[in-house]
Amino acid sequence: LCNGYDVYLTKEPGVFESMALVHSRVRRVVFGMTNEEDGGLGGSGSSVSVHCLQGTNHSYRAFKCIDCDDNNLFAACSEIHEETQPCH
């Protein structure tokens, strides 16, 4: 189990990977680029937000880096994050 761990990814995880992070019980996920094909954290504006599914026994917070580019993905965003969709 990864209780209390923060996960930093270059790209938004897909639906299956997002659910694996639920099962791993991470605290939060920060990603750089949205995954337009099958993003599982709502980063591309889709309604899919696996980290907030009701009926699961764990949820985590997901953040998209808002000041990153492909060349310097995380150097510019160590403190600047935007939460994708807050869990209610």
Side-chain angles (χ1 to χ4, degrees):
L1 293 177
C2 299
N3 290 329
Y5 282 69
D6 296 337
V7 177
Y8 290 84
L9 303 168
T10 55
K11 186 176 181 180
E12 176 184 11
V15 173
F16 293 113
E17 293 87 4
S18 298
M19 183 53 81
L21 290 165
V22 169
H23 292 305
S24 298
R25 298 182 180 273
V26 298
R27 179 174 60 168
R28 69 185 150 215
V29 173
V30 178
F31 61 91
M33 298 179 297
T34 57
N35 182 345
E36 299 294 332
E37 292 178 21
D38 68 342
L41 301 179
S44 62
S46 73
S47 61
V48 178
S49 297
V50 173
H51 64 296
C52 293
L53 286 176
Q54 294 182 1
T56 59
N57 60 3
H58 181 73
S59 62
Y60 56 87
R61 296 179 72 190
F63 299 87
K64 180 189 180 312
C65 182
I66 57 172
D67 192 22
C68 300
D69 59 30
D70 293 341
N71 298 325
N72 198 8
L73 194 57
F74 286 110
C77 68
S78 60
E79 297 294 328
I80 305 169
H81 306 300
E82 176 182 72
E83 193 161 9
T84 57
Q85 292 181 350
C87 299
H88 300 281

